[in-house]
Amino acid sequence: MSSSETERPAGASSPADPAGALPAVAPQLRALRRQASLTLEAAARAAGLSPAHLSRLETGQRQPSLPMLLTLARVYGTTVSELLGETVAGRDAVVRAADMEPTAAGGWTYWQAGASGRGMQALRVHVPYGSQGDIVRVHPGEEWLHVLRGRLRLRLGDTTHRLAAGDSAHFDSLTPHRIAADDHDGVDLLFVHTLLQSPTAALCLGPIPGDAS
């Protein structure tokens, strides 16, 4: 999550980012930061944000993008679903399609495809054409993605890869990477990333220099 990424005011809306899509995120962000025993300054530094920006997220003056939620989830040792105030009954091994509610964030739409509280987080993601394709992401962990529909442009370091339906990629997230749809209809992905379960471990790695995917 780059601190330079432009966030939409909480009251604003657009077709890809409807108003009220993240109603519970502001108080959850503050509660989970305090639960992790992190000051505003320490949490902002670990997430690559300014304290003022994180404060605006916690007070609802700004809404975070999905990549920003992923980074904050790593910093707080939790999951995006918990940041959003969502709950998953128990820790069932099976997640039914009917229970996957879509959430819009930063122009992307995603569905939780796994339970919370795990060492990996699984998502089904729709990336629209032209959305966040210029954002370079760098963060600890690993990522695996599989293209379900459409074509994906994945830049890893200095190399650009174009993936079609059925193709996959598995890479170290410390490699600078960009994700973008190569088709005007967007691209649908299965996406799995590792979580840093310990906020202390995240801080030991130093400030995260970019967005999380």
Side-chain angles (χ1 to χ4, degrees), residues 74 139-143 171-175 193-196 205:
R74 289 186 178 95
H139 52 87
E142 293 182 37
E143 296 183 24
F171 54 92
D172 187 328
S173 305
L174 286 174
T175 302
H193 68 95
T194 56
L195 290 170
L196 291 177
L205 292 167

Side-chain angles (χ1 to χ4, degrees), residues 15-40:
D17 188 14
L22 306 175
V25 70
Q28 279 292 100
L29 287 175
R30 184 185 301 108
L32 289 170
R33 174 177 60 78
R34 291 173 175 172
Q35 183 177 312
S37 300
L38 293 173
T39 65
L40 187 71

Side-chain angles (χ1 to χ4, degrees), residues 50 56 58 62 93 120-121 137 143 152 155 164 172 176:
S50 68
R56 286 193 290 271
E58 290 188 355
R62 293 289 186 274
M120 297 185 297
Q121 187 164 20
R137 316 179 197 281
E143 296 183 24
L152 176 73
R155 187 171 179 85
D172 187 328

Side-chain angles (χ1 to χ4, degrees), residues 36-192:
S37 300
L38 293 173
T39 65
L40 187 71
E41 291 73 16
R45 183 169 60 250
L49 302 172
S50 68
H53 195 144
L54 181 56
S55 177
R56 286 193 290 271
L57 295 177
E58 290 188 355
T59 56
Q61 297 176 51
R62 293 289 186 274
Q63 286 192 356
S65 64
L66 174 57
M68 189 168 291
L69 287 173
L70 291 170
T71 289
L72 289 170
R74 289 186 178 95
V75 171
Y76 299 154
T78 185
T79 63
V80 168
S81 60
E82 188 172 3
L83 287 180
L84 293 173
E86 299 170 358
T87 58
V88 178
R91 295 186 66 172
D92 294 337
V94 176
V95 179
R96 302 294 181 185
D99 297 328
M100 296 182 188
E101 294 291 336
T103 298
W108 293 5
T109 303
Y110 77 95
W111 295 257
Q112 286 289 140
S116 61
R118 302 289 188 181
M120 297 185 297
Q121 187 164 20
L123 304 169
R124 182 160 58 88
V125 183
H126 175 73
V127 180
Y129 183 78
S131 175
Q132 303 183 27
D134 58 343
I135 297 175
V136 179
R137 316 179 197 281
V138 182
H139 52 87
E142 293 182 37
E143 296 183 24
W144 175 88
L145 57 84
H146 177 83
V147 181
L148 296 172
R149 183 191 64 83
R151 292 179 298 174
L152 176 73
R153 185 169 70 255
L154 172 66
R155 187 171 179 85
L156 295 175
D158 295 327
T159 304
T160 298
H161 305 271
R162 283 178 166 79
L163 285 69
D167 292 341
S168 300
H170 188 176
F171 54 92
D172 187 328
S173 305
L174 286 174
T175 302
H177 52 286
R178 298 182 183 182
I179 295 174
D182 226 15
D183 289 338
H184 285 273
D185 290 337
V187 61
D188 293 324
L189 310 171
L190 285 178
F191 175 71
V192 177

